[in-house]
Amino acid sequence: MLNGGVLAGIARHAFPKAAMEVLDEVAVTVEGGLHGDFRGAVKPGGRGRRQVTLMERGDWQSALAELGAVAPWQERRVNLLVDGLDLPQVPGALLRIGADVVLRVTVECDPCSRMETVLPGLMAALTPDWRGGVCSRVVAGGILRLGDPITVELN
């Protein structure tokens, strides 16, 4: 175990460009990712590299500070906000959240041009050093709740 943090936020969106719904808890499955989130379902023949997305609270706050702005974290459009944890920038690293959920980091979660509609300059502010977060695939499902502990294991 490298370090630990806590789950500080949970959000999902039912379809592309839909508003983000902030939750206190959510079910997660290997087949469907976060219940009710359109990105979670693994398409036939797909790899599910973007089933669940995560970002560090500190990275979000740093990006906003650079812009002198304030915006709620869910505007980043990631599923999970983590606090007190450096997300691994290593594909294959495992994130254990709560009692049962295990996610495998797949790729960097590159900020898209939609960030510019949130705040001008936000896409660039989220680009360095994986600040936009990580994408992951569900290895083991369960229930996620705000405040769940998160630990990192590298393979």
Side-chain angles (χ1 to χ4, degrees):
M1 182 170 68
L2 291 178
N3 52 17
V6 297
L7 183 58
I10 304 169
R12 66 182 176 194
H13 49 308
F15 54 89
K17 300 183 182 175
M20 295 299 286
E21 177 186 9
V22 178
L23 308 164
D24 290 333
E25 69 177 50
V26 68
V28 178
T29 64
V30 171
E31 303 79 21
L34 263 69
H35 176 72
D37 189 81
F38 88 97
R39 281 204 189 272
V42 178
K43 296 172 182 65
R47 294 181 291 173
R49 294 184 331 160
R50 295 183 57 92
Q51 268 191 306
V52 179
T53 53
L54 304 92
M55 122 176 273
E56 298 171 32
R57 182 191 305 261
D59 284 345
W60 178 248
Q61 291 171 336
S62 294
L64 292 179
E66 282 181 17
L67 300 173
V70 176
W73 74 271
Q74 65 269 23
E75 291 295 324
R76 172 61 185 104
R77 305 189 65 75
V78 294
N79 299 121
L80 305 177
L81 182 70
V82 301
D83 201 10
L85 173 77
D86 288 328
L87 288 170
Q89 299 175 2
V90 180
L94 296 176
L95 301 167
R96 296 185 180 273
I97 309 174
D100 302 313
V101 177
V102 179
L103 306 176
R104 182 179 309 281
V105 172
T106 56
V107 295
E108 179 179 3
C109 188
D110 293 321
C112 68
S113 59
R114 286 206 63 195
M115 295 299 96
E116 293 305 297
T117 64
V118 176
L119 290 166
L122 185 56
M123 184 176 164
L126 289 170
T127 299
D129 196 32
W130 290 48
R131 218 188 237 180
V134 301
C135 298
S136 69
R137 180 176 177 112
V138 179
V139 175
I143 303 294
L144 292 179
R145 293 178 182 85
L146 289 181
D148 277 350
I150 305 172
T151 57
V152 178
E153 296 176 3
L154 300 178
N155 292 7

